[in-house]
Structures are given as structure tokens and as C-alpha cells.
Amino acid sequence: MEIDWGENGYPTLHYERIRSARKYSLVAFGVTGCLFLCGLGGSVFGFFPPLLAAFFGALFILFGLIGAFVSIYDTTRYVQIIPYFQRQLGGIDTFFAGRTMVCFLKQLDRIAEKQNSKPISSFGFADDLLGEELVWHDPKIGLQTIYAIQSVMQQSNIPDAIGRPLLSDLTKWQHALERAASEQVSFCVLLRHGDSTSGHEWDVRQGSAF
């Protein structure tokens, strides 16, 4: 099977999140920049004390410049897809996997479809942390997709720099979905941006990635 591995295949939602981050960054930059200029102008003409201008300047640096940079950088630097389960499974290792899979998601979806399996994208990418409604799926169907992709990749001539990390991620997904299938725990696929998390996040979320 001929698959073009020459370009990234991020899902459409990834680019929507990037546009959203850039929009937020421009708003933060513009609002804080205007406040700084108003404070500076008011200070020069004696309408505001210099301390207020300094405060607006600090606000501009912290929330305008730094906030804009962090928002865009975090969205573009670290992106992954992970299996997301209705409850905690334990003993799985997928939370830090999926970075290579998301880079070549369109290619993986194409392989699955040619093998008459559901594409990985069909299991995602709603995020309950953003107020989106989750759609849960049978892990056995997800396993059929992973098995089909693994079978084709193991028989294909894929560059090691791509094939090895992809197969590593797929193997971790396989183990997690096999565990979920044995315990009859439904799953979906979560698209995550940024490499930070907290216990509070997983207390708020409906499901678990662990």
C-alpha cells in the first residue's frame, strides 16, 4: 500500500485550536497594548500618575507579550492524541504516547479505511473539559482499527524514523484498548495541546487517560 509519509496529517481540529489560540493572543496583545499606551500618554500629559503607567506596562508584558507567546507556543509545540476511557483502568501507558500518531493521523486513517476498519478520527475528538459532549465507543472496534494499521505497517517499507515511534505508540494503544475491552470500558479519542496537567483536571473530567 502506497502511503505518502512526507507531510504531517494533523486533524482539522488541531488547526482550529491554533487559530483560536492566535485569536486569543491578538486580543490579549491588543487590549493590554492599548491600556499601556493610554496609561503612558496619560502619564506624560499629567492625567495619570507614573505608577499607573508602570502598572499598565507590566500588564502588557505579562499578559500581552508573554501570554500571547505562551498560548501560541504551547498549542504548536506539543500535540497528541490519546485514548480516553469512561473510568480509570490502571496499568496503561498511553498518556505520553500519541505524539507521532497525531502527526501522521491522516495517513493512519487512510490505512484503516483501506482495510475496511473505522479510522482513528472517527473515535474523537470531543473534549469534555471544553464543555463538548463525549461520544463513547466499543474498545473492540478500536482494537480492530489498531490491529489493521499495525498489520499493514509491519509489512510496509516505512522509514525507521517514522515507523518505530508509530509502532511504539500503536502498541501502547493496543495494550490499553485490550485492557478496556476485557473490562468492558468504553473509550473515545482525546486531542490534547500542551504537556502540562494536574490532579484537578482529572477530578473535573468525566473520564480518564490512566
Side-chain angles (χ1 to χ4, degrees), residues 84-87 123 128 134-138 185-189 206-208:
Y84 185 47
F85 302 98
Q86 276 192 311
R87 64 168 174 81
F123 302 113
D128 53 315
L134 300 176
V135 179
W136 299 105
H137 302 271
D138 186 340
V185 179
S186 298
F187 89 106
C188 58
V189 175
Q206 298 176 34
S208 175

Side-chain angles (χ1 to χ4, degrees), residues 29-100:
F29 182 82
V31 170
T32 54
C34 288
L35 288 173
F36 172 58
L37 291 176
C38 289
L40 182 63
S43 177
V44 169
F45 292 103
F47 296 112
F48 302 126
L51 187 61
L52 187 61
F55 170 76
F56 284 138
L59 196 69
F60 173 63
I61 292 172
L62 288 174
F63 293 97
L65 293 177
I66 297 177
F69 173 78
V70 169
S71 177
I72 294 175
Y73 180 71
D74 202 40
T75 305
T76 55
R77 179 180 66 93
Y78 193 102
V79 56
Q80 64 177 153
I81 52 172
I82 56 175
Y84 185 47
F85 302 98
Q86 276 192 311
R87 64 168 174 81
Q88 185 172 338
L89 293 175
I92 62 174
D93 185 25
T94 52
F95 184 73
F96 294 106
R99 294 185 65 179
T100 306

Side-chain angles (χ1 to χ4, degrees), residues 41-179:
S43 177
V44 169
F45 292 103
F47 296 112
F48 302 126
L51 187 61
L52 187 61
F55 170 76
F56 284 138
L59 196 69
F60 173 63
I61 292 172
L62 288 174
F63 293 97
L65 293 177
I66 297 177
F69 173 78
V70 169
S71 177
I72 294 175
Y73 180 71
D74 202 40
T75 305
T76 55
R77 179 180 66 93
Y78 193 102
V79 56
Q80 64 177 153
I81 52 172
I82 56 175
Y84 185 47
F85 302 98
Q86 276 192 311
R87 64 168 174 81
Q88 185 172 338
L89 293 175
I92 62 174
D93 185 25
T94 52
F95 184 73
F96 294 106
R99 294 185 65 179
T100 306
M101 287 175 65
V102 76
C103 289
F104 299 101
L105 185 62
K106 291 182 180 178
Q107 291 91 328
L108 297 178
D109 280 351
R110 199 171 303 126
I111 291 174
E113 288 172 342
K114 288 186 176 181
Q115 298 301 306
N116 297 316
S117 297
K118 294 189 67 173
I120 295 173
S121 296
S122 67
F123 302 113
F125 300 99
D127 191 336
D128 53 315
L129 202 62
L130 301 177
E132 299 168 350
E133 184 178 356
L134 300 176
V135 179
W136 299 105
H137 302 271
D138 186 340
K140 293 180 182 178
I141 299 177
L143 270 174
Q144 292 174 3
T145 296
I146 299 301
Y147 290 152
I149 295 172
Q150 287 174 318
S151 176
V152 170
M153 289 191 61
Q154 289 166 354
Q155 300 173 30
S156 302
N157 185 23
I158 302 172
D160 283 347
I162 297 173
R164 286 183 179 178
L166 267 179
L167 286 171
S168 175
D169 280 358
L170 287 165
T171 298
K172 292 176 181 178
W173 275 53
Q174 174 195 334
H175 292 161
L177 289 171
E178 285 175 343
R179 189 179 184 93

